[in-house]
């Protein structure tokens, strides 16, 4: 049953901002990057949508989406196996003229026009996956309705991450900041290099479904690709585009450095509670046993998932599922992803290991806080 | 389409010797090993052995067990045909009955079994921790051309009088059954796991039901009747890990054995024989600076700032700075506040142990009781709970022996 005037279709773009973290998306996409010891980034937006009563969610994938398909499965963990709605994954539709990997949000949506037309929900909420939030979409939708808005875009007040300021602008990566007048967005800046706290777009949009179809149809016939730049910005005078200020916890992944820092920030209980207190975040269940700290384990200030066996020393680190740390091994300031093995006597600092990496016995490796060493999936060092 | 073998899991027992833990909970739903419940073991064994149809016979305090089982998805038992079914006693046209005994519980569900038209039925018990491949057991049953087989464990002779014993010949054919005898003729203890040919089981259940003097129990009635009729009965030797966790001390012991898989034989890390459980969906656990964690199991949602040694912690347990937990089993959602000392005990779910309280004590001489705190209880500041205590109500002050 489609509920009255407040029902929503969710659309998630898991590939946006892939280019910011080229190492991590070598074998995956932004949405399936492991985060906070047992999650993938997409878990946060998906769980938030589920908590907000959105149960018709489309994920428009572009490339490297095998890991995401594997992670999402049928959507059961997010309670998205539904008779009506549920989880849909839209791969690039290669046969039609709009097909092939998309380059912008507008062109991605163009391939979804028939689907959007056949839905009954009144609103569409769209989100990327580079911002980790436990978001109350109902509150944002209510603001959208109260403000009689055509489009509402969420932002938070923050300094632009260094990585964005230093990013060599390409035509594929856009980030935006806003000037607002009584909540209405009057000016949008593309890739600004300004320092200081700014109204920084979170790329979460609320829009009426009919309006979205109209805007995308027009953009498609005019060959426009980018939703914010090509569709919204020219309409700022005509459409009521509102900003929605989000004051909750935001972890913005803009590169390797912020990925490292945002994980480490969760070692502070205050931040951890701020991110998770709004509701549980669901993820794929692996069925690991509890983590076993054996004799010789010495652990200080860590966040760790299930399935680990720890016989060495671990300090200031985020450890994902199934990691093994051998006798006498020392781990400090590291992020060790799923099934990493650190053999006996190894000594590592400021390391990010991808899945299934092995650090062999006695090996020493050290990065620095500004430049953590990254080791790719399946590597044996 | 007929199923070769389906499982019937007896989960109705009250578990009265686990009193503080089972006051509001059926025994098979009692938490075990950090993130499991007892029933996860037989259910996971079924799935790992290729059995996809399981009837769970419940009677005592079924609410939490029912909710836990749900549609069976965590065990891959949400099936189009078969899957897991919770079977409480129900009303029939000619009245209704509680399950009078283990055999009567199966008798009342003959129609459930017939829906699957199985050749064999395996009867399982919901109060044991055991990793067992039932398909090996079935192979044995078929190879012996048996009508009834029972899984047996060799136990030390001095302990044999505590068990139901099978006396078998050199071909494993059962010649005699002794229920807790003073003078045992065998040390083969029945594990309470049986495979029956369904036609035989059905016949004996019906006969047993017709006998007004029967206790409607497998051990007391069905097995002696099979022996009387000289049916093809065989004993299947099982040598893996098996533990009846019917008492507080055996439940505590089994949890501690999880910490020492190399010696105890109960390895939860076995990728080839996974034990599945319903996931609570909590964040990874946190161990803060200043905490000490040694030789322990810790799982999602735990926050540890104090000292944890040789213990099993379940999901969401909080151990505050300055608290000490040692040789303890602490179930989900429990908080051990600053300065409290918790040793050699079982603390159930959602308990609060307030500042500087003392629960349990390390064994001294003959004194090795396992203190037990029931679910939802608050133990007040400075309260002392003795090593033999079973506490089921809030304690605001003083000492409890």
């Amino acid at each position: 049953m489609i509920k009255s005037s407040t029902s929503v279709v969710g659309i998630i773009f898991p590939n946006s901002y892939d280019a910011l973290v080229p190492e991590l998306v070598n074998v995956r996409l932004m949405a399936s990057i492991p985060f906070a010891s047992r999650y993938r980034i997409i878990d946060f937006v998906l769980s938030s949508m589920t908590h907000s009563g959105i149960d018709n969610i489309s994920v428009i994938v572009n490339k490297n989406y095998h890991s995401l398909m594997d992670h999402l499965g049928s959507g059961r963990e997010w309670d998205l196996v539904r008779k009506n709605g549920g989880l849909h994954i839209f791969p690039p539709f290669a046969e039609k003229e709009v097909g092939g990997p998309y380059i912008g949000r507008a062109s991605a949506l163009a391939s979804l026009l028939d689907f959007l037309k056949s839905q009954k929900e009144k609103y569409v909420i769209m989100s990327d996956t580079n911002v980790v939030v436990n978001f109350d979409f109902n509150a944002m939708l209510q603001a959208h309705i109260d403000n009689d808005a055509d489009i509402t875009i969420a932002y938070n007040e923050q300094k632009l991450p260094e990585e964005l300021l230093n990013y060599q602008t390409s035509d594929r990566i856009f980030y935006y900041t806003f000037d607002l007048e009584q909540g209405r967005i009057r000016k949008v800046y593309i890739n600004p290099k300004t320092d200081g706290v700014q109204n920084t777009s979170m790329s979460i949009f609320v829009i009426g479904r009919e309006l979205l179809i109209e805007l995308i149809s027009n953009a498609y016939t005019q060959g426009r690709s980018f939703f914010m730049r090509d569709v919204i910005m020219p309409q700022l005078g005509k459409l009521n585009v509102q900003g929605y200020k989000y004051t909750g916890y935001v972890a913005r992944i803009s590169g390797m450095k912020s990925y490292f820092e945002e994980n480490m920030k969760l070692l502070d209980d205050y931040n951890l509670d701020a991110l998770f207190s709004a509701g549980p975040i669901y993820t794929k269940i692996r069925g690991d046993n509890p983590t076993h700290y054996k004799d010789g384990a010495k652990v200080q200030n860590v966040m760790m998932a299930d399935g680990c066996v720890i016989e060495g020393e671990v300090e200031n680190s985020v450890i994902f599922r199934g990691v093994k740390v051998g006798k006498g091994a020392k781990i400090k300031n590291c992020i060790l992803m799923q099934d990493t093995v650190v053999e006996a006597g190894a000594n590592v600092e400021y390391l990010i290991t991808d899945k299934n990496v092995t650090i062999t016995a006695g090996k020493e490796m050290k990065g620095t806080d500004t430049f953590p060493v990254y080791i790719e999936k399946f590597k044996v060092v | 389409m007929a199923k070769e073998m389906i499982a019937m899991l007896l989960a109705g027992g009250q578990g009265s010797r686990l009193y503080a833990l089972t006051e509001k909970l059926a025994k098979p739903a009692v938490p075990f090993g950090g993130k499991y419940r007892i029933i996860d073991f037989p259910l996971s064994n079924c799935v790992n052995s290729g059995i996809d149809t399981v009837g769970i016979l419940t009677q005592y305090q079924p609410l939490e067990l029912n909710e836990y089982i749900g549609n069976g998805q965590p065990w891959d038992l949400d099936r189009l045909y078969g899957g897991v079914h919770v079977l409480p006693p129900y009303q029939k046209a000619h009245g209704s009955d509680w399950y009078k005994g283990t055999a009567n519980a199966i008798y009342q569900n003959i129609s459930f079994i017939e829906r699957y038209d199985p050749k064999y039925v395996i009867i399982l018990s919901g109060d044991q921790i055991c990793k067992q491949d039932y398909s090996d057991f079935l192979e044995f049953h078929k190879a012996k051309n048996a009508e009834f087989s029972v899984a047996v464990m060799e136990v030390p002779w001095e302990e044999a009088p505590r068990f139901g014993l099978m006396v078998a010949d050199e071909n494993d054919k059962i010649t005699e059954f002794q229920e807790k005898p003073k003078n045992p003729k065998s040390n083969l203890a029945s594990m309470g796991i049986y495979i029956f040919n369904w036609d035989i089981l059905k016949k004996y259940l019906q006969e047993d039901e017709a006998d007004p003097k029967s206790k409607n129990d497998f051990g007391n009635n069905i097995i002696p009747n099979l022996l009387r009729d000289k049916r093809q009965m065989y004993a299947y030797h099982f040598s893996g890990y098996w533990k009846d966790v019917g008492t507080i001390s055996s439940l505590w012991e089994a949890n501690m054995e999880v910490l020492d898989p190399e010696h105890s034989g109960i390895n939860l890390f076995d990728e080839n024989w996974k034990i599945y459980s319903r996931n609570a969906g909590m964040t990874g656990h946190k161990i803060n600076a200043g905490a000490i964690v040694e030789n322990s199991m810790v799982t999602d949602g735990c926050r540890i700032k104090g000292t944890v040694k040789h213990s099993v912690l379940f999901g969401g347990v909080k151990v505050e700075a300055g608290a000490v937990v040692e040789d303890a089993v602490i179930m989900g959602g429990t908080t051990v506040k600053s300065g409290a000392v918790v040793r050699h005990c079982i603390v159930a779910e959602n308990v609060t142990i307030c500042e500087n309280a003392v629960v349990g004590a390390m064994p001294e001489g003959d004194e090795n009781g396992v203190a037990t705190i029931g679910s939802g209880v608050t133990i007040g500041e400075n309260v002392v709970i003795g090593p033999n205590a079973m506490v089921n109500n809030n304690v605001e002050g003083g000492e409890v022996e």
Side-chain angles (χ1 to χ4, degrees):
Chain A
M1 196 183 73
I2 300 301
K3 296 166 293 287
S4 69
S5 57
T6 56
S7 57
V8 173
V9 182
I11 297 178
I12 296 170
F13 300 90
N15 283 95
S16 310
Y17 300 102
D18 276 1
L20 291 174
V21 279
E23 303 95 330
L24 293 175
V25 298
N26 203 12
V27 287
R28 57 171 80 83
L29 33 58
M30 180 63 97
S32 61
I33 293 175
F35 189 72
S37 86
R38 66 186 293 267
Y39 303 98
R40 306 288 187 130
I41 294 179
I42 196 171
D43 294 338
F44 290 84
V45 61
L46 269 184
S47 304
S48 297
M49 285 188 171
T50 303
H51 291 317
S52 303
I54 303 172
D55 59 7
N56 181 1
I57 300 176
S58 300
V59 179
I60 310 185
V61 295
N62 193 354
K63 54 177 190 172
N64 278 6
Y65 48 84
H66 284 187
S67 68
L68 185 68
M69 307 262 295
D70 174 55
H71 180 68
L72 296 177
S74 60
R76 183 163 54 201
E77 269 95 359
W78 301 268
D79 199 24
L80 287 172
V81 180
R82 299 270 69 89
K83 200 169 183 73
N84 296 310
L87 182 71
H88 311 270
I89 299 172
F90 286 95
F93 199 79
E95 287 172 41
K96 269 191 164 178
E97 64 271 31
V98 291
Y102 60 83
I103 52 166
R105 196 188 310 271
S107 47
L109 286 166
S111 67
L112 224 67
L113 275 173
D114 287 344
F115 168 80
L116 282 172
K117 285 176 191 163
S118 67
Q119 301 307 295
K120 298 187 180 66
E121 283 84 349
K122 187 163 177 191
Y123 297 100
V124 176
I125 293 184
M126 298 187 283
S127 175
D128 294 338
T129 54
N130 62 318
V131 179
V132 179
V133 277
N134 199 337
F135 199 92
D136 182 352
F137 289 104
N138 281 332
M140 183 174 174
L141 177 63
Q142 196 54 53
H144 178 84
I145 293 168
D146 292 346
N147 292 325
D148 206 9
D150 294 309
I151 300 170
T152 303
I153 308 171
Y155 68 94
N156 69 327
E157 292 178 339
Q158 72 161 90
K159 278 179 142 180
L160 287 172
E162 241 173 83
E163 293 142 320
L164 290 181
L165 294 177
N166 297 336
Y167 193 75
Q168 300 303 311
T169 309
S170 82
D171 57 351
R172 294 294 172 87
I173 290 290
F174 297 114
Y175 58 93
Y176 303 94
T177 59
F178 307 139
D179 278 348
L180 295 117
E181 247 177 60
Q182 276 120 37
R184 186 162 172 183
I185 296 175
R186 287 298 187 180
K187 194 156 175 31
V188 175
Y189 302 92
I190 305 177
N191 297 354
K193 301 289 179 196
T194 352
D195 213 356
V197 174
Q198 299 159 70
N199 302 324
T200 309
S201 170
M202 294 166 69
S203 294
I204 295 174
F205 303 84
V206 179
I207 183 171
R209 186 175 53 86
E210 302 282 346
L211 177 62
L212 180 65
I213 291 169
E214 185 191 320
L215 292 175
I216 295 300
S217 303
N218 291 340
Y220 172 54
T221 49
Q222 293 161 11
R224 300 183 193 280
S225 297
F226 296 98
F227 186 66
M228 190 75 163
R229 188 191 71 180
D230 302 341
V231 179
I232 296 184
M233 282 174 69
Q235 303 265 21
L236 282 179
K238 251 167 68 188
L239 295 173
N240 179 8
V241 182
Q242 291 278 324
Y244 175 76
K245 181 167 146 186
Y246 182 70
T247 54
Y249 191 87
V250 176
R252 194 181 284 268
I253 310 300
S254 309
M256 238 6 190
K257 186 165 172 286
S258 59
Y259 174 75
F260 184 76
E261 286 170 0
E262 290 299 345
N263 270 290
M264 288 302 171
K265 269 167 79 178
L266 296 175
L267 291 176
D268 183 338
D269 285 346
Y270 179 83
N271 293 331
L272 187 68
D273 290 337
L275 179 56
F276 285 94
S277 58
I281 302 299
Y282 307 118
T283 189
K284 184 181 177 185
I285 305 298
R286 280 192 6 166
D288 288 284
N289 39 270
T291 282
H292 194 170
Y293 294 98
K294 296 198 162 184
D295 286 335
K298 214 173 141 195
V299 192
Q300 297 281 295
N301 197 29
V302 301
M303 173 154 68
M304 196 176 306
D306 274 354
C308 303
V309 180
I310 308 297
E311 298 181 78
E313 296 180 22
V314 189
E315 194 182 340
N316 299 336
S317 295
V318 176
I319 312 291
F320 287 77
R321 293 186 272 204
V323 168
K324 310 274 182 284
V325 176
K327 278 195 171 57
K330 287 198 168 105
I331 289 159
K332 201 173 170 186
N333 301 316
C334 290
I335 297 174
L336 308 182
M337 294 186 200
Q338 300 92 301
D339 302 309
T340 293
V341 177
V342 181
E343 295 181 350
N347 185 352
V348 295
E349 264 183 61
Y350 291 107
L351 212 62
I352 300 175
T353 61
D354 211 311
K355 290 175 69 175
N356 298 91
V357 163
T358 301
I359 310 285
T360 51
K363 190 90 193 166
E364 279 205 28
M365 284 191 88
K366 285 181 188 174
T368 68
D369 57 345
T370 48
F371 196 78
V373 172
Y374 169 79
I375 300 173
E376 66 185 42
K377 205 171 165 180
F378 294 119
K379 263 264 164 14
V380 177
V381 184
Chain B
M1 195 178 62
K3 300 262 182 196
E4 185 180 33
M5 179 159 84
I6 73 166
M8 297 298 275
L9 177 55
L10 297 164
Q14 185 176 349
S16 47
R17 287 172 301 166
L18 294 178
Y19 176 70
L21 302 176
T22 54
E23 195 190 26
K24 296 165 209 145
L25 195 63
K27 187 157 129 186
V30 167
F32 177 82
K35 62 186 295 189
Y36 308 94
R37 293 176 188 259
I38 295 171
I39 198 167
D40 289 332
F41 288 79
L43 284 181
S44 302
N45 287 342
C46 280
V47 171
N48 293 339
S49 307
I51 300 172
D52 65 5
T53 306
V54 184
I56 301 180
L57 300 139
T58 63
Q59 177 153 286
Y60 172 79
Q61 289 284 17
L63 186 65
E64 196 160 332
L65 185 60
N66 286 351
E67 190 185 334
Y68 185 69
I69 300 298
N71 67 351
Q73 182 268 320
W75 304 270
D76 204 21
L77 285 171
D78 52 334
R79 299 294 174 95
L80 215 49
Y81 176 60
V84 67
H85 295 260
V86 177
L87 303 169
Y90 58 95
Q91 197 171 15
K92 302 154 196 86
H94 303 286
S96 58
D97 275 317
W98 293 103
Y99 293 149
K100 290 178 280 182
T102 48
N104 176 256
I106 307 292
Y107 171 82
Q108 289 199 36
N109 287 289
I110 285 178
S111 56
F112 168 80
I113 299 171
E114 302 250 275
R115 286 160 60 105
Y116 302 102
D117 189 21
K119 185 127 200 282
Y120 309 100
V121 174
I122 184 166
I123 310 288
L124 303 170
S125 159
D127 51 10
Q128 308 174 345
I129 302 296
C130 178
K131 287 184 5 182
Q132 187 182 2
D133 189 336
Y134 304 140
S135 62
D136 289 347
F137 186 13
L138 180 62
E139 285 303 310
F140 168 88
H141 180 86
K142 289 197 244 181
K144 293 286 183 188
N145 231 339
E147 294 170 306
F148 164 90
S149 303
V150 53
V152 295
M153 284 280 288
E154 275 184 41
V155 295
W157 279 94
E158 62 273 20
E159 285 181 34
R162 288 175 39 221
F163 294 94
L165 302 171
M166 297 293 163
V167 185
D169 66 16
E170 68 280 6
N171 287 323
D172 300 321
K173 184 157 190 210
I174 297 168
T175 54
E176 196 181 337
F177 171 61
Q178 297 183 297
E179 178 71 23
K180 296 182 182 148
K182 285 206 183 74
N183 300 306
K185 288 190 208 164
S186 155
N187 67 338
L188 298 178
S190 163
M191 294 163 62
I193 298 175
Y194 317 118
I195 291 180
F196 282 93
N197 291 1
W198 171 231
D199 52 350
I200 297 292
L201 176 58
K202 187 177 167 189
K203 173 173 147 54
Y204 279 82
L205 287 175
Q206 284 168 337
E207 282 176 20
D208 177 65
E209 189 63 20
D211 175 4
K213 283 181 278 180
S214 172
K215 290 187 193 160
N216 307 116
D217 184 81
F218 278 101
N220 283 309
N221 308 104
I222 302 287
I223 296 173
N225 291 348
L226 289 163
L227 267 169
R228 177 198 65 203
D229 297 349
K230 302 207 173 1
R231 289 287 174 187
Q232 294 294 312
M233 303 168 71
Y234 285 87
Y236 171 70
H237 293 255
F238 177 73
S239 55
Y241 183 90
W242 175 75
K243 193 145 203 152
D244 181 333
V245 287
T247 64
I248 292 288
S249 61
S250 65
L251 180 64
W252 177 85
E253 222 173 81
N255 272 287
M256 291 298 127
E257 282 170 351
V258 162
L259 293 174
D260 188 15
E262 287 85 357
H263 298 100
S264 68
I266 178 79
N267 181 11
L268 299 179
F269 285 72
D270 187 351
E271 278 297 312
N272 298 319
W273 203 265
K274 264 198 176 189
I275 303 300
Y276 300 97
S277 66
R278 191 173 282 280
N279 193 286
M282 289 186 269
T283 58
H285 66 267
K286 278 284 305 285
I287 295 179
N288 285 42
I292 297 172
V293 180
E294 288 174 5
N295 199 9
S296 294
M297 288 275 206
V298 181
T299 187
D300 289 345
C302 289
R303 301 274 184 102
I304 301 176
K305 297 176 180 169
T307 299
V308 177
K309 291 183 178 174
H310 199 251
S311 294
V312 176
L313 270 50
F314 288 69
V317 167
K318 293 190 172 60
V319 179
E320 293 189 351
V324 176
V325 173
E326 194 172 359
D327 278 10
V329 178
I330 313 277
M331 294 180 186
T334 286
T335 300
V336 182
K337 294 203 170 175
S338 157
V341 178
V342 177
R343 287 196 165 113
H344 204 269
C345 61
I346 297 180
V347 179
E349 296 167 291
N350 303 315
V351 169
T352 306
I353 296 171
C354 294
E355 284 82 355
N356 305 315
V358 176
V359 175
M362 299 305 265
E364 270 179 51
D366 296 340
E367 183 70 86
N368 61 354
V370 177
T372 311
I373 312 290
S375 71
V377 166
T378 299
I379 304 296
E381 290 177 26
N382 304 308
V383 167
V384 176
I385 305 290
N388 292 309
M390 247 201 192
V391 178
N392 237 10
N393 291 301
N394 293 349
V395 182
E396 280 166 21
E399 290 194 22
V400 180
E401 282 300 314

